[in-house]
Amino acid sequence: MNNFGENLKILRMELGLGQVELAKQLNVSKGIISLWENGLREPNMSSLIAIAKFFKVSIDYIVGLE
């Protein structure tokens, strides 16, 4: 089962986005994207919702529950 960081990186790469582009779309810093993808930080609920909406996936999917 993939974890959040792995899923985020996979989704980002599937769209051909760099960390900087994704950060702009989610209104966060590039550094926070890197921290999330490397498992050093976890997003808060509002960020999870924004990520799920942006990628058109469920929160369960993005956190690896499905």
Side-chain angles (χ1 to χ4, degrees):
M1 178 165 51
N2 290 338
N3 65 30
F4 168 76
E6 291 170 347
N7 286 340
L8 180 62
K9 186 173 183 175
I10 290 166
L11 289 168
R12 176 177 63 78
M13 294 179 79
E14 284 177 352
L15 290 183
L17 294 174
Q19 289 182 341
V20 172
E21 292 88 358
L22 180 58
K24 287 178 184 176
Q25 291 295 320
L26 298 176
N27 200 29
V28 298
S29 71
K30 183 262 182 206
I32 199 73
I33 300 294
S34 178
L35 290 170
W36 288 344
E37 287 186 358
N38 289 300
L40 300 174
R41 272 235 180 120
E42 294 180 351
N44 60 27
M45 185 56 71
S46 61
S47 294
L48 271 177
I49 292 167
I51 293 164
K53 284 182 177 181
F54 177 78
F55 288 110
K56 296 178 176 69
V57 297
S58 70
I59 290 175
D60 283 351
Y61 177 83
I62 196 97
V63 299
L65 294 177
E66 60 173 66

